[in-house]
Amino acid sequence: MAVASQGANVLEKAIGHVEGGVTEQDMSNPDRDRERYADPSGEKMKALVWNGKNSVELVETHKPKIIEDRDVILKVTGSTICGSDLHLYHGAVIQLQKGDILGHEFCGRVDSVGPAVKNLKPGDRVVASFQIACGECMYCQKKLSSQCERTNTNKVENVMYGGRTAGMFGYSHFTGGFAGGQAEYARVPYGDVNLLPLPDDVPDEQGLYLSDVLSTSWNCVVDTGVKEGDVVAIWGAGPIGQMCAEMSFIRGAKRVIVIDGGPAAWRLDLVKSKTPKVETLNYTDLARGETVTSKLQEMEHGGPDVALECAAGEYAKGVGHKMELALGLETDTSEIVNEMITSVKSFGRCGITGVYVGFTNHFNIGALMERGIRLIGNGQAPVHLYWKDLLKMIQDGSLDTRIMLSHRINIDEMDTLYRKFDARADNLQKVFVQTRFSDPPAPGTPELTSWK
């Protein structure tokens, strides 16, 4: 995959971007061109950068500056690590470059605004959407911000997918090459559109997660059509799977079964402790001859009505898929998707929210067609469509994001966090990463953990 990633970088440089971009791209670290991108004050900041497969490093780089009229510079007061960040860490997402600043979930206080930004001012508390939307194109007018047509002109993505997503913070040059928010400062293009003000009654430890995990979980549940009385099975007990379980009950699900195992099996107990109505299935405890599908159909006649994929395509279980991934014969395993298709009732619904990058082998298209299964790619969640409603749910108490929040660390230990999170160690579920600009921990949230 590393060779493919660098090859994609070379190809993109050779063929050039597609037309129609409206914001500066491929500036994933201000130090790539200090004269163009770094603040003239010379102020430095800490930031977490990608150094190669399974290697990240906390470095000192320059604070970004306003380069376009609708830019906002944030003092980052909170960021986090996401399962999606591990795909970058593993090199599973193409077109990463050494020195790219990572991080797509962050909140902060406005430091400065461009001359065209009229709805924000220095000092305002805001959360950033993980995607960068222009606010004006066909998709943005419908609040489908993750598919903005104008903020990511990457031609390789356009060719692979028949279209392209919006630009995304800290998620490789495949999605525009924007510097991320695992840093002390961040530049937000179209800041008047891509920042949501946080009210005083919503602390950073809750508001931060409007950036991605809450919108992604809600989109998974709503887009796959979870409704009153459904039995829902969820693959993956990480933060997305955990919040999908909670949100499925909010939507009226009768039963929710969460599936996980291996080194991450402890997460099943965590989810059960926070949401006691959840049922769990540990695939590593299955008896000889049992499968996830057979167990689910034993637990529920005909299987669940809905299956939600909240894991990802890079985690192969069988030897065959492990070999094919290692040899570059596929980019994603079809094992979980096949389990979902064979597990649900006929005419059941399967939604894919875990990241799948390219192509897979051995996909059970026959079961999909013959049994009338609805397979739904939930897509990158359109944050702008949901975040205001989700904010209201936090305010009225119907949604408590603290159930997934397990740790608080300092940005100085972000590189250690990546290694531990990848190993599913220390019962790390969702983490709040503080900077020198952060407020003290809000009541009911974790105190600072240090591994030094």
Side-chain angles (χ1 to χ4, degrees):
M1 180 59 78
V3 174
S5 182
Q6 296 313 308
N9 280 323
V10 172
L11 178 62
E12 185 73 26
K13 188 173 182 179
I15 63 178
H17 292 338
V18 296
E19 296 180 355
V22 293
T23 187
E24 185 83 14
Q25 295 172 46
D26 296 312
M27 46 93 51
S28 54
N29 187 325
D31 275 8
R32 294 205 185 282
D33 189 334
R34 294 179 189 174
E35 185 174 343
R36 292 177 65 188
Y37 303 135
D39 191 85
S41 68
E43 184 177 351
K44 299 286 190 71
M45 69 173 184
K46 296 173 182 176
L48 195 283
V49 301
W50 187 81
N51 267 347
K53 185 176 180 179
N54 297 328
S55 176
V56 294
E57 181 184 4
L58 190 76
V59 301
E60 189 177 72
T61 186
H62 282 81
K63 172 186 175 181
K65 72 175 181 181
I66 288 172
I67 60 174
E68 295 170 343
D69 286 353
R70 293 173 67 181
D71 283 354
V72 172
I73 304 298
L74 285 191
K75 291 179 177 176
V76 176
T77 57
S79 66
T80 187
I81 187 171
C82 174
S84 298
D85 290 318
L86 293 181
H87 310 318
L88 301 173
Y89 184 62
H90 299 152
V93 176
I94 62 173
Q95 290 192 260
L96 282 157
Q97 296 177 14
K98 186 174 181 179
D100 287 353
I101 297 175
L102 302 180
H104 58 275
E105 296 179 84
F106 57 98
C107 63
R109 290 188 182 274
V110 174
D111 180 66
S112 57
V113 301
V117 176
K118 306 300 183 185
N119 60 338
L120 297 169
K121 64 184 184 304
D124 286 349
R125 291 179 58 241
V126 292
V127 59
S129 130
F130 77 86
Q131 60 232 205
I132 299 163
C134 73
E136 299 162 354
C137 71
M138 172 180 71
Y139 291 111
C140 287
Q141 288 178 21
K142 299 175 182 178
K143 300 295 184 184
L144 301 177
S145 48
S146 61
Q147 305 301 318
C148 177
E149 298 175 294
R150 304 168 71 204
T151 57
N152 175 21
T153 57
N154 185 280
K155 186 171 284 188
V156 172
E157 188 190 48
N158 197 72
V159 171
M160 281 182 64
Y161 296 163
R164 58 193 185 276
T165 64
M168 298 179 195
F169 289 106
Y171 216 76
S172 91
H173 297 259
F174 192 63
T175 62
F178 294 92
Q182 290 170 356
E184 292 181 312
Y185 286 97
R187 168 185 168 256
V188 180
Y190 288 89
D192 54 336
V193 172
N194 295 302
L195 294 170
L196 180 70
L198 291 175
D200 291 341
D201 60 347
V202 177
D204 285 355
E205 291 90 342
Q206 293 207 66
L208 163 63
Y209 303 110
L210 293 164
S211 187
D212 179 1
V213 58
L214 296 181
S215 297
T216 294
S217 302
W218 189 251
N219 181 64
C220 179
V221 169
V222 171
D223 191 52
T224 313
V226 174
K227 63 184 187 300
E228 188 83 26
D230 276 342
V231 176
V232 180
I234 298 172
W235 274 254
I240 298 290
Q242 181 181 9
M243 295 313 298
C244 279
E246 187 74 13
M247 290 170 172
S248 292
F249 283 126
I250 290 173
R251 295 277 294 180
K254 178 173 64 176
R255 299 175 68 190
V256 175
I257 305 163
V258 180
I259 304 143
D260 213 321
W266 60 265
R267 301 191 303 194
L268 294 171
D269 293 332
L270 172 69
V271 172
K272 180 76 173 175
S273 71
K274 301 294 184 179
T275 307
K277 293 186 292 183
V278 160
E279 300 166 63
T280 61
L281 196 169
N282 184 341
Y283 64 77
T284 48
D285 288 345
L286 292 172
R288 183 180 295 275
E290 281 189 320
T291 64
V292 170
T293 292
S294 68
K295 191 65 178 176
L296 285 172
Q297 293 181 345
E298 175 188 314
M299 296 171 74
E300 171 66 23
H301 179 71
D305 302 288
V306 178
L308 304 178
E309 205 286 20
C310 300
E314 69 161 299
Y315 302 114
K317 292 190 286 187
V319 174
H321 280 284
K322 287 180 180 178
M323 289 181 61
E324 290 179 357
L325 286 169
L327 293 171
L329 300 176
E330 64 178 359
T331 60
D332 305 276
T333 174
S334 58
E335 290 163 292
I336 291 178
V337 176
N338 285 342
E339 283 182 351
M340 293 163 61
I341 290 170
T342 56
S343 295
V344 295
K345 292 180 173 71
S346 294
F347 301 103
R349 306 180 300 285
C350 300
I352 302 177
T353 279
V355 171
Y356 285 71
V357 178
F359 303 94
T360 189
N361 299 326
H362 316 295
F363 173 63
N364 194 345
I365 194 169
L368 181 83
M369 181 269 154
E370 297 289 350
R371 298 182 56 234
I373 309 302
R374 273 59 175 161
L375 182 62
I376 301 161
N378 301 127
Q380 296 289 349
V383 172
H384 295 192
L385 185 63
Y386 303 122
W387 62 352
K388 289 183 179 179
D389 290 337
L390 291 168
L391 176 60
K392 291 176 183 175
M393 291 169 68
I394 293 173
Q395 288 181 290
D396 67 22
S398 57
L399 182 62
D400 187 357
T401 68
R402 292 171 296 184
I403 65 172
M404 64 177 169
L405 183 56
S406 62
H407 291 73
R408 181 188 186 100
I409 70 155
N410 197 286
I411 193 172
D412 292 341
E413 299 188 63
M414 194 83 197
D415 51 352
T416 302
L417 174 61
Y418 265 76
R419 292 191 291 273
K420 287 182 173 289
F421 195 69
D422 185 38
R424 309 294 193 265
D426 291 14
N427 290 355
L428 289 161
Q429 182 73 334
K430 200 63 177 174
V431 180
F432 184 88
V433 180
Q434 69 177 31
T435 73
R436 58 189 161 113
F437 301 121
S438 302
D439 291 330
T445 67
E447 294 294 325
L448 188 67
T449 293
S450 177
W451 296 298
K452 291 183 177 179

